[in-house]
Amino acid sequence: MGASAAPSSTDLDTLALAVMVRETALAVPGVLGISAGRGFVEATYGRGAMVRGVGISSGERGVDVTIHLIIAQTPIPLLAFRVRQAIRHYLVSRTDLTSGSIDLYIDDMDMSVTPILEEDAV
Amino acid sequence: MNVLNRLIGILFFLIILILAIGTAGTITGLLTGHTVDQVYSYGPLHQSLNDLHHVQPHNTRIIAGAGAVLIAVLALLFLALELTPPRRERALTLSETIEGETTIGYDKLQKLAERASLDVAEVETAECSVRGDDGSVRVRCTATVNRFADATTVSAQVQAAIKQQLEHTLGRPVERVDVRTEPQRAGTRPRVR
């Protein structure tokens, strides 16, 4: 499912939102995959389906997101900034939801993957 | 294991535990058919409990009782295992702001430090541990180096490599890197790079 298939805010359910958040995060350079979580399973559940590695909840400021990432060997603060920016941009531009906190868990780092260039950032 | 499997597991071991305790209680006479009748009166059950209590020969009762106790202990053990929440990995919180928090497991940092060590020439093996207290990061590393290399120089290089790599990745200063070098044992094959 690509980011272009985002449903409108009116028919957006939590599961669809989790799918889109996952896809948005995966599109960020340096993010190699989504992990289900380590020691416990983070997931968003819906009717007959689940999205592993992404947690969606409603917080005081808006939608709170928790996401478990598998990343390339790259500066984490920069990557975290990019992922948050991408998810926040998606939430604001494609839905009428406001973004709350976005918690990122780096569950694995693939050191065989060439690090992305810092100059690409922002 | 998902939630449903865990629930089924807990229910299963709970039933086994109750049956084992019931059997042990009946054999020892602590649980009589009369007592059970007060809760649930059912003829065949009453008869079964009486048969179990008067099972002959005496040795069979002892064996059955011991077996029931053993099964109860095992069921209790498995029940405790099922009910114990999974241990959360130790992790370093890199940032905790209103935007959210960013966390990475120490084992990943350990791998990163070991990788940085192995990138240094003359280092054959490396074993590191990373700790973080009060936001500071501390690394301890043991590296096996080529017998003919200058251990002091290699040690300094490993120290610098780890510090640079971790600071680059984490975006925060590494407070301390302790490196201990050991010469490679004679006859050990050198690492192929």
Side-chain angles (χ1 to χ4, degrees):
Chain A
M1 190 187 292
S4 58
S8 70
S9 60
T10 48
D11 63 356
L12 197 66
D13 64 11
T14 312
L15 196 70
L17 191 64
V19 170
M20 293 318 299
V21 165
R22 185 186 65 187
E23 297 303 318
T24 306
L26 281 171
V28 175
V31 176
L32 303 178
I34 304 294
S35 156
R38 280 156 49 91
F40 65 99
V41 175
E42 181 86 55
T44 301
Y45 298 88
R47 283 183 193 167
M50 67 188 283
V51 180
R52 285 176 187 269
V54 180
I56 302 282
S57 59
S58 58
E60 289 174 7
R61 291 169 53 227
V63 178
D64 288 340
V65 175
T66 303
I67 188 159
H68 292 253
L69 304 171
I70 300 167
I71 64 167
Q73 192 181 330
T74 185
I76 295 171
L78 182 65
L79 185 75
F81 172 78
R82 286 179 175 177
V83 172
R84 283 201 180 93
Q85 193 183 42
I87 293 172
R88 194 156 285 129
H89 181 257
Y90 165 75
L91 289 174
V92 171
S93 64
R94 307 295 283 274
T95 73
D96 58 5
L97 300 168
T98 53
S99 169
S101 66
I102 300 170
D103 293 334
L104 306 176
Y105 291 89
I106 312 297
D107 280 357
D108 206 355
M109 188 184 283
D110 190 341
M111 291 166 204
S112 63
V113 177
T114 311
I116 55 166
L117 296 172
E118 288 177 58
E119 286 74 20
D120 291 346
V122 200
Chain B
M1 191 183 280
N2 65 33
V3 176
L4 186 70
N5 286 352
R6 290 195 75 174
L7 281 175
I8 291 170
I10 289 166
L11 203 65
F12 175 75
F13 289 123
L14 209 55
I15 290 168
I16 297 290
L17 181 67
I18 290 166
L19 288 176
I21 289 172
T23 305
T26 307
I27 288 170
T28 54
L30 292 171
L31 184 68
T32 61
H34 179 67
T35 314
V36 176
D37 282 345
Q38 287 177 340
V39 182
Y40 179 66
S41 183
Y42 181 56
L45 178 66
H46 181 89
Q47 190 58 48
S48 302
L49 292 174
N50 269 342
D51 289 348
L52 188 62
H53 182 56
H54 296 106
V55 70
Q56 292 297 333
H58 188 68
N59 275 354
T60 312
R61 281 176 65 187
I62 294 170
I63 292 167
V69 170
L70 184 71
I71 289 170
V73 170
L74 285 175
L76 201 64
L77 196 73
F78 285 121
L79 200 60
L81 280 175
E82 283 294 338
L83 290 171
T84 308
R87 192 172 61 88
R88 277 205 163 197
E89 300 285 331
R90 287 186 64 237
L92 173 71
T93 302
L94 292 174
S95 69
E96 196 171 9
T97 63
I98 198 164
E99 301 287 305
E101 64 176 63
T102 308
T103 309
I104 183 168
Y106 280 114
D107 57 332
K108 296 289 155 268
L109 301 180
Q110 181 186 316
K111 262 173 66 183
L112 201 62
E114 285 171 0
R115 167 105 180 199
S117 309
L118 291 172
D119 282 346
V120 174
E122 313 291 0
V123 173
E124 298 296 331
T125 65
E127 211 168 286
C128 302
S129 67
V130 181
R131 289 193 316 139
D133 302 313
D134 307 324
S136 64
V137 178
R138 276 177 242 168
V139 185
R140 193 173 281 186
C141 217
T142 304
T144 312
V145 300
N146 189 313
R147 283 185 298 142
F148 305 107
D150 178 4
T152 315
T153 310
V154 175
S155 180
Q157 286 173 341
V158 169
Q159 205 171 21
I162 292 173
K163 192 171 165 63
Q164 191 200 355
Q165 182 62 74
L166 286 181
E167 286 182 350
H168 178 251
T169 306
L170 302 179
R172 68 194 303 176
V174 172
E175 192 185 64
R176 188 177 169 141
V177 180
D178 294 324
V179 178
R180 192 161 69 92
T181 51
E182 290 172 352
Q184 192 186 26
R185 283 184 191 165
T188 312
R189 276 187 170 184
R191 186 163 66 99
V192 180
R193 292 175 190 272

